């Protein structure tokens, strides 16, 4: 099961009345459970001896069923009168501003970015995925801390379009 499958499953749960889903494969287990106004999901990666290797729990607050989640390419304006866009996380994981702790960050506030330029890395299920800008502009604000967990569609950067 890859990250896109998990994202589709979360979207499906938001549109349905399901309250609990659990999927288990030989080295992977995923449980999604809806409680009140949130969806709680727990993911465990299993070693061959089936002992939990990694446990992750996050809470994702429900959006109304009619509201569709935007992708990074569908960045939304945040202030009227200004040409600012939010660059949003394309999937859940851990956000990193540089490729390693001893390397420079990919972008800083005030940097001009081009379409396709790497803004950061999101680690998901032990895979490091470079996230690239979908538009050109200047980084106005970085909205998440280095090494912090991010949710699908969470704003990461404010970029003033050029």
């Amino acid at each position: 099961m890859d990250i896109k499958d998990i994202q589709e499953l979360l979207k499906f749960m938001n549109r349905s009345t399901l309250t609990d889903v659990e999927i288990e494969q030989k080295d992977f287990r995923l449980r999604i459970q809806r409680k009140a106004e949130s969806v709680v999901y727990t993911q465990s990666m299993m070693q061959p001896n089936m002992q939990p290797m990694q446990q992750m729990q996050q809470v994702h607050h429900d959006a109304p069923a009619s509201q569709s989640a935007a992708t990074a390419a569908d960045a939304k304006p945040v202030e009227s009168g200004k040409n600012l866009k939010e660059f949003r996380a394309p999937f859940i994981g851990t956000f990193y501003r540089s490729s390693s702790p001893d390397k420079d960050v990919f972008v800083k506030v005030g940097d001009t970015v081009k379409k396709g330029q790497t803004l950061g890395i999101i680690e998901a299920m032990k895979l490091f995925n470079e996230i690239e800008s979908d538009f050109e502009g200047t980084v106005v604000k970085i909205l998440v801390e280095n090494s912090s967990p991010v949710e699908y569609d969470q704003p990461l950067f404010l970029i003033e379009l050029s």
Side-chain angles (χ1 to χ4, degrees):
M1 174 168 268
D2 64 19
I3 196 73
K4 289 188 188 274
D5 294 333
I6 295 170
Q7 289 172 345
E8 289 300 315
L9 187 57
L10 288 171
K11 286 179 190 176
F12 175 75
M13 281 201 63
N14 278 335
R15 293 187 308 262
S16 74
T17 59
L18 286 175
T19 58
D20 194 40
V21 173
E22 186 168 338
I23 298 172
E24 190 167 336
Q25 297 173 346
K26 71 177 187 181
D27 62 347
F28 177 80
R29 184 175 146 215
L30 175 68
R31 181 173 185 203
I32 302 172
Q33 180 179 20
R34 183 187 315 262
K35 291 187 177 184
E37 290 294 315
S38 64
V39 174
V40 178
Y41 51 94
T42 305
Q43 167 186 326
S44 298
M45 298 294 291
M46 304 295 227
Q47 293 178 337
N49 64 5
M50 298 306 283
Q51 296 298 315
M53 180 174 77
Q54 174 189 17
Q55 190 96 20
M56 175 177 73
Q57 277 197 346
Q58 295 186 3
V59 175
H60 173 73
H61 295 287
D62 281 341
S66 62
Q67 178 184 357
S68 64
T71 64
D74 298 328
K76 302 171 188 166
V78 289
E79 288 185 40
S80 60
K82 291 195 176 183
N83 204 12
L84 294 178
K85 295 275 188 175
E86 290 179 341
F87 179 87
R88 296 173 168 265
F91 42 83
I92 62 171
T94 303
F95 174 77
Y96 296 102
R97 292 189 59 203
S98 63
S99 59
S100 69
D102 59 335
K103 301 283 184 182
D104 290 335
V105 295
F106 290 107
V107 295
K108 303 181 290 284
V109 172
D111 285 357
T112 300
V113 295
K114 297 181 187 280
K115 187 174 183 174
Q117 181 177 340
T118 301
L119 299 174
I121 293 175
I122 295 180
E123 175 191 5
M125 297 173 54
K126 302 289 183 190
L127 296 174
F128 292 86
N129 303 282
E130 289 185 355
I131 54 171
E132 299 175 348
S133 179
D134 293 323
F135 37 84
E136 295 185 5
T138 303
V139 177
V140 174
K141 189 170 185 179
I142 300 170
L143 303 170
V144 292
E145 296 292 323
N146 189 45
S147 303
S148 63
V150 295
E151 295 183 27
Y152 172 68
D153 202 39
Q154 176 180 341
L156 303 178
F157 298 92
L158 272 182
I159 299 177
E160 183 175 7
L161 299 180
S162 50

